[in-house]
Amino acid sequence: FPSHDTNNGYFAEFQVTESGEYWFGKNLLQPTFTGKCPADAISYSVSGGLGTTFQWQVDTGSGYTNLAESAIYSGTTSSTITITGAPGTYSGNRYRCMVDGIARDERILRFYYYWSGSMDNNWFQAANWSCNEIPGETADVIIPAGLSRYPSVNSNVRIRSLKILTNVPLQLASGTILS
């Protein structure tokens, strides 16, 4: 689950599968709410960048596999990979780089959809969202404070997570499910 620290602007994402004491390293820390959208070009680099061979890998939920150059991935055998035009379903994919055969720097790709309310209060109006598309079930949604219009939801919505800042209204029509 994501653990947010609004004091330093970073979060760590991890899964707890059984009770016990857990420690996580700085490789899990990521800037929080960076505003990444599926259409954005997103780059990840190996910390330090030192090594002679690099191979980026992805885990979509079934274990890590090597990446190859494609329309979405470039730099798959360098110290920096760029992900361009990934579909929203790529949110949650885990990426790491094998440097000289050693796994380094795991990153989790997340897409954040900020509510702007620039058109009206309709949740299903793409222009009301930072990514100019309606958030889907893999989206992390953030509704900030200080806006003149807030969302009104009149039919069921499925998203990955929702962060509503203090004193922000969210209007749900009777019988509407937000999951």
Side-chain angles (χ1 to χ4, degrees):
F1 62 88
S3 173
H4 298 277
D5 178 351
T6 57
N7 294 325
N8 70 17
Y10 285 81
F11 77 96
E13 185 166 338
F14 53 95
Q15 281 188 316
V16 175
T17 56
E18 58 186 60
S19 63
E21 186 172 319
Y22 292 87
W23 294 82
F24 56 91
K26 68 179 181 178
N27 64 316
L28 291 179
L29 291 177
Q30 302 177 42
T32 189
F33 309 137
T34 55
K36 295 176 186 167
C37 293
D40 292 346
I42 300 159
S43 294
Y44 296 132
S45 296
V46 176
S47 59
L50 301 175
T52 55
T53 63
F54 303 91
Q55 176 60 63
W56 283 91
Q57 299 179 322
V58 64
D59 179 359
T60 61
S62 304
Y64 278 97
T65 57
N66 288 346
L67 288 170
E69 298 291 306
S70 69
I72 294 175
Y73 298 116
S74 61
T76 58
T77 58
S78 71
S79 63
T80 300
I81 188 169
T82 301
I83 304 166
T84 305
T89 55
Y90 279 37
S91 188
N93 284 359
R94 295 175 180 273
Y95 294 88
R96 72 177 181 192
C97 189
M98 299 296 290
V99 179
D100 297 330
I102 299 169
R104 301 260 309 271
D105 298 341
E106 183 178 75
R107 304 286 174 29
I108 301 170
L109 180 62
R110 290 281 179 226
F111 297 123
Y112 297 103
Y113 292 74
Y114 290 85
W115 172 262
S116 68
S118 62
M119 294 293 291
D120 52 35
N121 67 345
N122 182 357
W123 178 283
F124 300 99
Q125 169 61 255
N128 285 325
W129 296 99
S130 61
C131 294
N132 204 31
E133 66 183 47
I134 301 161
E137 62 184 57
T138 60
D140 292 292
V141 171
I142 301 161
I143 302 176
L147 302 176
S148 59
R149 288 189 286 255
Y150 289 97
S152 176
V153 183
N154 56 13
S155 63
N156 296 344
V157 172
R158 290 187 60 116
I159 55 176
R160 189 185 93 82
S161 72
L162 174 64
K163 180 175 179 106
I164 301 174
L165 299 182
T166 305
N167 297 321
V168 169
L170 175 62
Q171 184 178 27
L172 296 175
S174 179
T176 301
I177 298 171
L178 180 63
S179 63

